[in-house]
Amino acid sequence: MNSEFIIAVHSLVLLAHRPDGMASSEEIASNVCTNPVRVRKVMSCLRKNGFVDTREGSGGGYRLSREPDGVTLADIYRALAAGSLAPSWCSGDPQSDCMVGSNMGDVMNAVFCGADQQLEMYLESITIGQMLSRIAAKAKA
Protein backbone atom coordinates (compact mmCIF):
# COMPACT_ATOMS: atom_id res chain seq x y z
CA MET A 1 0.00 0.00 0.00
CA ASN A 2 1.34 3.45 -0.76
CA SER A 3 0.85 6.85 0.80
CA GLU A 4 -0.85 8.23 -2.32
CA PHE A 5 -3.76 5.84 -1.69
CA ILE A 6 -4.11 7.10 1.87
CA ILE A 7 -3.93 10.74 0.75
CA ALA A 8 -6.56 10.05 -1.93
CA VAL A 9 -9.01 8.35 0.44
CA HIS A 10 -8.57 11.05 3.09
CA SER A 11 -9.02 13.81 0.51
CA LEU A 12 -12.16 12.30 -1.00
CA VAL A 13 -13.73 11.73 2.42
CA LEU A 14 -12.92 15.34 3.34
CA LEU A 15 -14.55 16.61 0.13
CA ALA A 16 -17.61 14.45 0.80
CA HIS A 17 -17.81 15.97 4.29
CA ARG A 18 -17.59 19.60 3.13
CA PRO A 19 -21.02 21.28 2.82
CA ASP A 20 -19.98 23.01 -0.41
CA GLY A 21 -17.92 20.00 -1.46
CA MET A 22 -14.95 22.23 -2.27
CA ALA A 23 -11.42 22.46 -0.84
CA SER A 24 -8.08 23.84 -2.00
CA SER A 25 -4.92 21.76 -2.05
CA GLU A 26 -3.68 23.79 0.93
CA GLU A 27 -6.83 23.01 2.94
CA ILE A 28 -6.65 19.34 2.06
CA ALA A 29 -2.91 19.19 2.85
CA SER A 30 -3.50 20.78 6.25
CA ASN A 31 -6.19 18.21 7.06
CA VAL A 32 -4.13 15.27 5.77
CA CYS A 33 -0.96 16.61 7.46
CA THR A 34 1.16 16.57 4.33
CA ASN A 35 2.57 18.93 1.74
CA PRO A 36 0.22 20.63 -0.77
CA VAL A 37 2.49 19.49 -3.62
CA ARG A 38 1.84 15.84 -2.69
CA VAL A 39 -1.88 16.56 -2.53
CA ARG A 40 -1.87 18.21 -5.95
CA LYS A 41 -0.07 15.19 -7.44
CA VAL A 42 -2.66 12.79 -6.02
CA MET A 43 -5.57 15.05 -6.91
CA SER A 44 -4.30 15.29 -10.48
CA CYS A 45 -4.52 11.51 -10.77
CA LEU A 46 -7.98 11.53 -9.18
CA ARG A 47 -9.09 14.22 -11.66
CA LYS A 48 -7.79 12.18 -14.62
CA ASN A 49 -9.76 9.19 -13.34
CA GLY A 50 -12.99 11.17 -12.91
CA PHE A 51 -13.20 11.29 -9.12
CA VAL A 52 -12.80 15.06 -8.74
CA ASP A 53 -13.33 18.25 -10.72
CA THR A 54 -11.34 21.45 -10.30
CA ARG A 55 -12.33 25.08 -10.24
CA GLU A 56 -9.74 27.78 -10.82
CA GLY A 57 -9.44 31.14 -9.09
CA SER A 58 -10.61 32.59 -5.82
CA GLY A 59 -12.73 30.11 -3.89
CA GLY A 60 -11.65 27.36 -6.26
CA GLY A 61 -10.17 24.01 -5.55
CA TYR A 62 -11.24 20.41 -5.82
CA ARG A 63 -14.75 19.01 -5.68
CA LEU A 64 -15.93 15.40 -5.57
CA SER A 65 -17.45 14.66 -8.98
CA ARG A 66 -19.15 11.40 -8.03
CA GLU A 67 -21.52 10.40 -5.29
CA PRO A 68 -19.59 9.27 -2.17
CA ASP A 69 -21.54 6.01 -2.05
CA GLY A 70 -20.61 5.32 -5.67
CA VAL A 71 -16.85 5.42 -5.11
CA THR A 72 -15.26 2.33 -3.59
CA LEU A 73 -11.82 2.13 -2.06
CA ALA A 74 -11.10 -0.47 -4.77
CA ASP A 75 -11.78 2.19 -7.42
CA ILE A 76 -9.20 4.42 -5.79
CA TYR A 77 -6.78 1.54 -5.28
CA ARG A 78 -6.97 0.62 -8.96
CA ALA A 79 -6.35 4.25 -9.97
CA LEU A 80 -3.41 4.87 -7.63
CA ALA A 81 -1.92 1.77 -6.06
CA ALA A 82 -2.89 -1.44 -7.86
CA GLY A 83 -0.13 -3.99 -7.61
CA SER A 84 1.65 -2.08 -4.87
CA LEU A 85 1.72 -5.08 -2.55
CA ALA A 86 4.31 -6.81 -4.71
CA PRO A 87 7.86 -6.09 -3.61
CA SER A 88 10.26 -4.46 -6.04
CA TRP A 89 12.81 -7.21 -5.32
CA CYS A 90 12.47 -10.94 -4.81
CA SER A 91 15.06 -13.47 -3.70
CA GLY A 92 16.45 -16.23 -5.83
CA ASP A 93 17.92 -16.54 -9.30
CA PRO A 94 15.82 -18.03 -12.12
CA GLN A 95 19.05 -19.30 -13.72
CA SER A 96 20.11 -21.17 -10.58
CA ASP A 97 20.47 -24.96 -10.54
CA CYS A 98 18.76 -25.01 -7.14
CA MET A 99 15.04 -25.82 -7.25
CA VAL A 100 14.29 -23.28 -4.49
CA GLY A 101 16.45 -20.47 -5.83
CA SER A 102 15.27 -20.82 -9.41
CA ASN A 103 11.54 -20.84 -8.59
CA MET A 104 11.16 -18.60 -5.54
CA GLY A 105 10.53 -15.43 -7.57
CA ASP A 106 7.63 -16.90 -9.54
CA VAL A 107 6.07 -18.50 -6.47
CA MET A 108 6.33 -15.30 -4.41
CA ASN A 109 4.92 -13.28 -7.30
CA ALA A 110 1.87 -15.56 -7.34
CA VAL A 111 1.44 -15.08 -3.58
CA PHE A 112 1.51 -11.29 -3.89
CA CYS A 113 -0.83 -11.33 -6.91
CA GLY A 114 -3.30 -13.40 -4.89
CA ALA A 115 -3.00 -11.05 -1.91
CA ASP A 116 -3.54 -8.06 -4.18
CA GLN A 117 -6.72 -9.63 -5.59
CA GLN A 118 -8.03 -10.37 -2.08
CA LEU A 119 -7.29 -6.81 -0.97
CA GLU A 120 -9.07 -5.40 -4.00
CA MET A 121 -12.14 -7.57 -3.30
CA TYR A 122 -12.21 -6.33 0.31
CA LEU A 123 -11.79 -2.69 -0.73
CA GLU A 124 -14.68 -3.14 -3.19
CA SER A 125 -17.02 -3.44 -0.19
CA ILE A 126 -16.12 -0.02 1.28
CA THR A 127 -17.25 3.31 -0.17
CA ILE A 128 -16.19 6.88 0.50
CA GLY A 129 -19.68 7.43 1.93
CA GLN A 130 -19.20 4.54 4.37
CA MET A 131 -15.82 5.94 5.41
CA LEU A 132 -17.46 9.28 6.19
CA SER A 133 -20.19 7.48 8.18
CA ARG A 134 -17.56 5.55 10.17
CA ILE A 135 -15.74 8.79 10.97
CA ALA A 136 -18.98 10.52 12.03
CA ALA A 137 -19.86 7.58 14.29
CA LYS A 138 -16.39 7.61 15.85
CA ALA A 139 -16.64 11.38 16.43
CA LYS A 140 -19.97 10.91 18.27
CA ALA A 141 -18.64 8.09 20.48
Side-chain angles (χ1 to χ4, degrees), residues 45-131:
C45 184
L46 291 175
R47 185 179 54 75
K48 287 176 188 171
N49 283 280
F51 296 107
V52 297
D53 293 320
T54 57
R55 188 169 73 196
E56 302 281 329
S58 179
Y62 299 95
R63 183 184 62 213
L64 194 59
S65 61
R66 292 167 54 181
E67 287 298 315
D69 287 326
V71 178
T72 69
L73 298 191
D75 296 330
I76 300 163
Y77 180 72
R78 284 188 288 269
L80 290 160
S84 64
L85 292 181
S88 59
W89 175 86
C90 197
S91 61
D93 175 5
Q95 305 304 317
S96 172
D97 290 334
C98 175
M99 178 184 73
V100 174
S102 63
N103 292 294
M104 184 57 73
D106 286 343
V107 171
M108 288 304 294
N109 187 49
V111 167
F112 283 108
C113 284
D116 196 58
Q117 290 171 348
Q118 291 294 315
L119 174 62
E120 203 170 315
M121 285 186 348
Y122 173 69
L123 294 176
E124 194 69 51
S125 69
I126 305 168
T127 68
I128 292 296
Q130 290 170 330
M131 293 289 289

Side-chain angles (χ1 to χ4, degrees), residues 13-74:
V13 172
L14 177 64
L15 293 176
H17 171 67
R18 293 301 240 355
D20 62 355
M22 209 57 163
S24 70
S25 57
E26 289 79 14
E27 292 170 311
I28 295 170
S30 176
N31 197 272
V32 173
C33 298
T34 193
N35 187 300
V37 173
R38 289 186 76 200
V39 168
R40 284 190 287 273
K41 178 183 171 197
V42 170
M43 298 307 278
S44 174
C45 184
L46 291 175
R47 185 179 54 75
K48 287 176 188 171
N49 283 280
F51 296 107
V52 297
D53 293 320
T54 57
R55 188 169 73 196
E56 302 281 329
S58 179
Y62 299 95
R63 183 184 62 213
L64 194 59
S65 61
R66 292 167 54 181
E67 287 298 315
D69 287 326
V71 178
T72 69
L73 298 191

